[in-house]
PDB file of all heavy atoms in Angstrom:
ATOM      1  N   SER A 172      20.356  -6.111 -12.196  1.00 96.00           N
ATOM      2  CA  SER A 172      19.861  -5.015 -11.342  1.00 96.00           C
ATOM      3  C   SER A 172      20.344  -5.145  -9.941  1.00 96.00           C
ATOM      4  O   SER A 172      20.749  -4.065  -9.348  1.00 96.00           O
ATOM      5  CB  SER A 172      18.327  -5.128 -11.331  1.00 96.00           C
ATOM      6  OG  SER A 172      17.828  -4.342 -10.379  1.00 96.00           O
ATOM      7  N   VAL A 173      20.382  -6.420  -9.393  1.00 97.00           N
ATOM      8  CA  VAL A 173      20.982  -6.557  -8.062  1.00 97.00           C
ATOM      9  C   VAL A 173      22.372  -6.114  -7.983  1.00 97.00           C
ATOM     10  O   VAL A 173      22.795  -5.426  -7.003  1.00 97.00           O
ATOM     11  CB  VAL A 173      20.780  -8.064  -7.690  1.00 97.00           C
ATOM     12  CG1 VAL A 173      21.481  -8.346  -6.315  1.00 97.00           C
ATOM     13  CG2 VAL A 173      19.233  -8.329  -7.592  1.00 97.00           C
ATOM     14  N   GLU A 174      23.153  -6.555  -8.967  1.00 96.00           N
ATOM     15  CA  GLU A 174      24.584  -6.253  -8.990  1.00 96.00           C
ATOM     16  C   GLU A 174      24.835  -4.777  -9.110  1.00 96.00           C
ATOM     17  O   GLU A 174      25.714  -4.175  -8.394  1.00 96.00           O
ATOM     18  CB  GLU A 174      25.273  -6.912 -10.194  1.00 96.00           C
ATOM     19  CG  GLU A 174      26.812  -6.643 -10.141  1.00 96.00           C
ATOM     20  CD  GLU A 174      27.475  -7.250  -9.007  1.00 96.00           C
ATOM     21  OE1 GLU A 174      27.069  -8.205  -8.430  1.00 96.00           O
ATOM     22  OE2 GLU A 174      28.576  -6.604  -8.595  1.00 96.00           O
ATOM     23  N   ARG A 175      24.016  -4.073  -9.907  1.00 95.00           N
ATOM     24  CA  ARG A 175      24.108  -2.582 -10.187  1.00 95.00           C
ATOM     25  C   ARG A 175      23.820  -1.894  -8.796  1.00 95.00           C
ATOM     26  O   ARG A 175      24.515  -0.957  -8.401  1.00 95.00           O
ATOM     27  CB  ARG A 175      23.193  -2.249 -11.207  1.00 95.00           C
ATOM     28  CG  ARG A 175      23.404  -0.825 -11.702  1.00 95.00           C
ATOM     29  CD  ARG A 175      22.908  -0.658 -13.202  1.00 95.00           C
ATOM     30  NE  ARG A 175      21.626  -1.007 -13.386  1.00 95.00           N
ATOM     31  CZ  ARG A 175      21.175  -2.092 -14.077  1.00 95.00           C
ATOM     32  NH1 ARG A 175      22.095  -2.843 -14.685  1.00 95.00           N
ATOM     33  NH2 ARG A 175      19.885  -2.302 -14.208  1.00 95.00           N
ATOM     34  N   LEU A 176      22.752  -2.299  -8.130  1.00 97.00           N
ATOM     35  CA  LEU A 176      22.302  -1.670  -6.868  1.00 97.00           C
ATOM     36  C   LEU A 176      23.334  -1.834  -5.795  1.00 97.00           C
ATOM     37  O   LEU A 176      23.650  -0.872  -4.959  1.00 97.00           O
ATOM     38  CB  LEU A 176      20.964  -2.287  -6.441  1.00 97.00           C
ATOM     39  CG  LEU A 176      19.714  -1.869  -7.213  1.00 97.00           C
ATOM     40  CD1 LEU A 176      18.510  -2.717  -6.874  1.00 97.00           C
ATOM     41  CD2 LEU A 176      19.328  -0.428  -6.814  1.00 97.00           C
ATOM     42  N   ARG A 177      23.960  -3.059  -5.786  1.00 97.00           N
ATOM     43  CA  ARG A 177      24.987  -3.269  -4.728  1.00 97.00           C
ATOM     44  C   ARG A 177      26.276  -2.382  -5.106  1.00 97.00           C
ATOM     45  O   ARG A 177      27.001  -2.044  -4.141  1.00 97.00           O
ATOM     46  CB  ARG A 177      25.386  -4.709  -4.798  1.00 97.00           C
ATOM     47  CG  ARG A 177      24.292  -5.631  -4.057  1.00 97.00           C
ATOM     48  CD  ARG A 177      24.481  -7.134  -4.156  1.00 97.00           C
ATOM     49  NE  ARG A 177      23.494  -7.915  -3.366  1.00 97.00           N
ATOM     50  CZ  ARG A 177      23.268  -9.186  -3.608  1.00 97.00           C
ATOM     51  NH1 ARG A 177      23.940  -9.805  -4.422  1.00 97.00           N
ATOM     52  NH2 ARG A 177      22.303  -9.727  -2.832  1.00 97.00           N
ATOM     53  N   GLN A 178      26.518  -2.203  -6.319  1.00 95.00           N
ATOM     54  CA  GLN A 178      27.657  -1.353  -6.688  1.00 95.00           C
ATOM     55  C   GLN A 178      27.392   0.118  -6.221  1.00 95.00           C
ATOM     56  O   GLN A 178      28.295   0.894  -5.911  1.00 95.00           O
ATOM     57  CB  GLN A 178      27.838  -1.295  -8.241  1.00 95.00           C
ATOM     58  CG  GLN A 178      28.497  -2.608  -8.747  1.00 95.00           C
ATOM     59  CD  GLN A 178      28.436  -2.702 -10.223  1.00 95.00           C
ATOM     60  OE1 GLN A 178      28.157  -1.718 -10.879  1.00 95.00           O
ATOM     61  NE2 GLN A 178      29.136  -3.816 -10.827  1.00 95.00           N
ATOM     62  N   TYR A 179      26.094   0.492  -6.205  1.00 95.00           N
ATOM     63  CA  TYR A 179      25.745   1.774  -5.716  1.00 95.00           C
ATOM     64  C   TYR A 179      25.806   1.925  -4.126  1.00 95.00           C
ATOM     65  O   TYR A 179      25.652   2.962  -3.632  1.00 95.00           O
ATOM     66  CB  TYR A 179      24.339   2.169  -6.157  1.00 95.00           C
ATOM     67  CG  TYR A 179      24.193   2.286  -7.594  1.00 95.00           C
ATOM     68  CD1 TYR A 179      22.928   2.096  -8.227  1.00 95.00           C
ATOM     69  CD2 TYR A 179      25.180   2.771  -8.399  1.00 95.00           C
ATOM     70  CE1 TYR A 179      22.697   2.171  -9.642  1.00 95.00           C
ATOM     71  CE2 TYR A 179      25.032   2.919  -9.773  1.00 95.00           C
ATOM     72  CZ  TYR A 179      23.813   2.598 -10.437  1.00 95.00           C
ATOM     73  OH  TYR A 179      23.605   2.699 -11.713  1.00 95.00           O
ATOM     74  N   GLY A 180      25.971   0.728  -3.520  1.00 96.00           N
ATOM     75  CA  GLY A 180      26.070   0.658  -2.005  1.00 96.00           C
ATOM     76  C   GLY A 180      24.793   0.371  -1.344  1.00 96.00           C
ATOM     77  O   GLY A 180      24.659   0.430  -0.114  1.00 96.00           O
ATOM     78  N   CYS A 181      23.781  -0.176  -2.104  1.00 97.00           N
ATOM     79  CA  CYS A 181      22.593  -0.545  -1.543  1.00 97.00           C
ATOM     80  C   CYS A 181      22.682  -2.005  -0.979  1.00 97.00           C
ATOM     81  O   CYS A 181      23.170  -2.854  -1.580  1.00 97.00           O
ATOM     82  CB  CYS A 181      21.441  -0.521  -2.537  1.00 97.00           C
ATOM     83  SG  CYS A 181      21.127   1.150  -3.236  1.00 97.00           S
ATOM     84  N   GLU A 182      22.050  -2.257   0.156  1.00 97.00           N
ATOM     85  CA  GLU A 182      21.947  -3.603   0.724  1.00 97.00           C
ATOM     86  C   GLU A 182      20.748  -4.268   0.044  1.00 97.00           C
ATOM     87  O   GLU A 182      19.634  -3.813   0.114  1.00 97.00           O
ATOM     88  CB  GLU A 182      21.761  -3.490   2.206  1.00 97.00           C
ATOM     89  CG  GLU A 182      21.634  -4.868   2.843  1.00 97.00           C
ATOM     90  CD  GLU A 182      21.349  -4.776   4.322  1.00 97.00           C
ATOM     91  OE1 GLU A 182      21.773  -3.739   4.940  1.00 97.00           O
ATOM     92  OE2 GLU A 182      20.815  -5.698   4.895  1.00 97.00           O
ATOM     93  N   VAL A 183      21.044  -5.334  -0.723  1.00 97.00           N
ATOM     94  CA  VAL A 183      19.888  -5.905  -1.584  1.00 97.00           C
ATOM     95  C   VAL A 183      19.684  -7.349  -1.014  1.00 97.00           C
ATOM     96  O   VAL A 183      20.556  -8.151  -0.862  1.00 97.00           O
ATOM     97  CB  VAL A 183      20.298  -6.023  -3.076  1.00 97.00           C
ATOM     98  CG1 VAL A 183      19.077  -6.462  -3.880  1.00 97.00           C
ATOM     99  CG2 VAL A 183      20.635  -4.518  -3.503  1.00 97.00           C
ATOM    100  N   GLN A 184      18.358  -7.682  -0.891  1.00 97.00           N
ATOM    101  CA  GLN A 184      17.925  -9.040  -0.580  1.00 97.00           C
ATOM    102  C   GLN A 184      17.155  -9.500  -1.823  1.00 97.00           C
ATOM    103  O   GLN A 184      16.272  -8.894  -2.305  1.00 97.00           O
ATOM    104  CB  GLN A 184      16.895  -9.010   0.582  1.00 97.00           C
ATOM    105  CG  GLN A 184      16.248 -10.319   0.862  1.00 97.00           C
ATOM    106  CD  GLN A 184      15.237 -10.167   1.927  1.00 97.00           C
ATOM    107  OE1 GLN A 184      15.302  -9.349   2.865  1.00 97.00           O
ATOM    108  NE2 GLN A 184      14.210 -11.079   1.956  1.00 97.00           N
ATOM    109  N   PHE A 185      17.629 -10.676  -2.439  1.00 97.00           N
ATOM    110  CA  PHE A 185      17.095 -11.141  -3.753  1.00 97.00           C
ATOM    111  C   PHE A 185      16.495 -12.397  -3.642  1.00 97.00           C
ATOM    112  O   PHE A 185      17.088 -13.434  -3.017  1.00 97.00           O
ATOM    113  CB  PHE A 185      18.242 -11.130  -4.713  1.00 97.00           C
ATOM    114  CG  PHE A 185      17.804 -11.553  -6.121  1.00 97.00           C
ATOM    115  CD1 PHE A 185      16.839 -10.840  -6.901  1.00 97.00           C
ATOM    116  CD2 PHE A 185      18.424 -12.698  -6.664  1.00 97.00           C
ATOM    117  CE1 PHE A 185      16.444 -11.295  -8.074  1.00 97.00           C
ATOM    118  CE2 PHE A 185      18.004 -13.126  -7.989  1.00 97.00           C
ATOM    119  CZ  PHE A 185      17.077 -12.373  -8.625  1.00 97.00           C
ATOM    120  N   SER A 186      15.327 -12.580  -4.185  1.00 96.00           N
ATOM    121  CA  SER A 186      14.607 -13.871  -4.160  1.00 96.00           C
ATOM    122  C   SER A 186      14.000 -14.157  -5.493  1.00 96.00           C
ATOM    123  O   SER A 186      13.570 -13.300  -6.229  1.00 96.00           O
ATOM    124  CB  SER A 186      13.370 -13.759  -3.145  1.00 96.00           C
ATOM    125  OG  SER A 186      13.758 -13.454  -1.893  1.00 96.00           O
ATOM    126  N   THR A 187      14.153 -15.490  -5.835  1.00 95.00           N
ATOM    127  CA  THR A 187      13.589 -15.914  -7.166  1.00 95.00           C
ATOM    128  C   THR A 187      12.511 -16.965  -6.824  1.00 95.00           C
ATOM    129  O   THR A 187      12.615 -17.657  -5.844  1.00 95.00           O
ATOM    130  CB  THR A 187      14.685 -16.489  -8.097  1.00 95.00           C
ATOM    131  OG1 THR A 187      15.318 -17.722  -7.346  1.00 95.00           O
ATOM    132  CG2 THR A 187      15.670 -15.582  -8.563  1.00 95.00           C
ATOM    133  N   TYR A 188      11.440 -17.022  -7.715  1.00 95.00           N
ATOM    134  CA  TYR A 188      10.319 -17.867  -7.515  1.00 95.00           C
ATOM    135  C   TYR A 188      10.160 -18.806  -8.617  1.00 95.00           C
ATOM    136  O   TYR A 188       9.875 -18.310  -9.808  1.00 95.00           O
ATOM    137  CB  TYR A 188       9.016 -17.047  -7.244  1.00 95.00           C
ATOM    138  CG  TYR A 188       9.077 -16.331  -5.971  1.00 95.00           C
ATOM    139  CD1 TYR A 188       9.755 -15.094  -5.851  1.00 95.00           C
ATOM    140  CD2 TYR A 188       8.505 -16.824  -4.819  1.00 95.00           C
ATOM    141  CE1 TYR A 188       9.659 -14.383  -4.646  1.00 95.00           C
ATOM    142  CE2 TYR A 188       8.459 -16.222  -3.689  1.00 95.00           C
ATOM    143  CZ  TYR A 188       9.118 -14.951  -3.472  1.00 95.00           C
ATOM    144  OH  TYR A 188       9.230 -14.323  -2.301  1.00 95.00           O
ATOM    145  N   GLU A 189      10.376 -20.075  -8.488  1.00 94.00           N
ATOM    146  CA  GLU A 189      10.197 -21.038  -9.450  1.00 94.00           C
ATOM    147  C   GLU A 189       8.821 -21.163  -9.950  1.00 94.00           C
ATOM    148  O   GLU A 189       7.821 -21.172  -9.171  1.00 94.00           O
ATOM    149  CB  GLU A 189      10.639 -22.534  -8.970  1.00 94.00           C
ATOM    150  CG  GLU A 189      12.087 -22.625  -8.654  1.00 94.00           C
ATOM    151  CD  GLU A 189      12.991 -22.467  -9.889  1.00 94.00           C
ATOM    152  OE1 GLU A 189      12.556 -22.795 -10.884  1.00 94.00           O
ATOM    153  OE2 GLU A 189      14.161 -21.882  -9.588  1.00 94.00           O
ATOM    154  N   GLY A 190       8.612 -21.332 -11.270  1.00 94.00           N
ATOM    155  CA  GLY A 190       7.354 -21.511 -11.900  1.00 94.00           C
ATOM    156  C   GLY A 190       6.576 -20.189 -11.910  1.00 94.00           C
ATOM    157  O   GLY A 190       5.295 -20.229 -12.341  1.00 94.00           O
ATOM    158  N   VAL A 191       7.121 -19.039 -11.706  1.00 94.00           N
ATOM    159  CA  VAL A 191       6.425 -17.819 -11.773  1.00 94.00           C
ATOM    160  C   VAL A 191       6.848 -17.012 -12.903  1.00 94.00           C
ATOM    161  O   VAL A 191       8.149 -16.855 -13.013  1.00 94.00           O
ATOM    162  CB  VAL A 191       6.612 -17.027 -10.416  1.00 94.00           C
ATOM    163  CG1 VAL A 191       6.005 -15.687 -10.551  1.00 94.00           C
ATOM    164  CG2 VAL A 191       6.063 -17.808  -9.183  1.00 94.00           C
ATOM    165  N   GLY A 192       6.024 -16.471 -13.677  1.00 94.00           N
ATOM    166  CA  GLY A 192       6.338 -15.724 -14.864  1.00 94.00           C
ATOM    167  C   GLY A 192       6.375 -14.133 -14.537  1.00 94.00           C
ATOM    168  O   GLY A 192       6.823 -13.711 -13.373  1.00 94.00           O
TER     169      GLY A 192
END
Side-chain angles (χ1 to χ4, degrees):
S172 169
V173 170
E174 184 60 30
R175 194 155 56 245
L176 287 164
R177 287 173 177 164
Q178 288 175 358
Y179 294 150
C181 300
E182 180 182 336
V183 183
Q184 175 184 334
F185 181 59
S186 299
T187 56
Y188 290 82
E189 293 297 329
V191 176

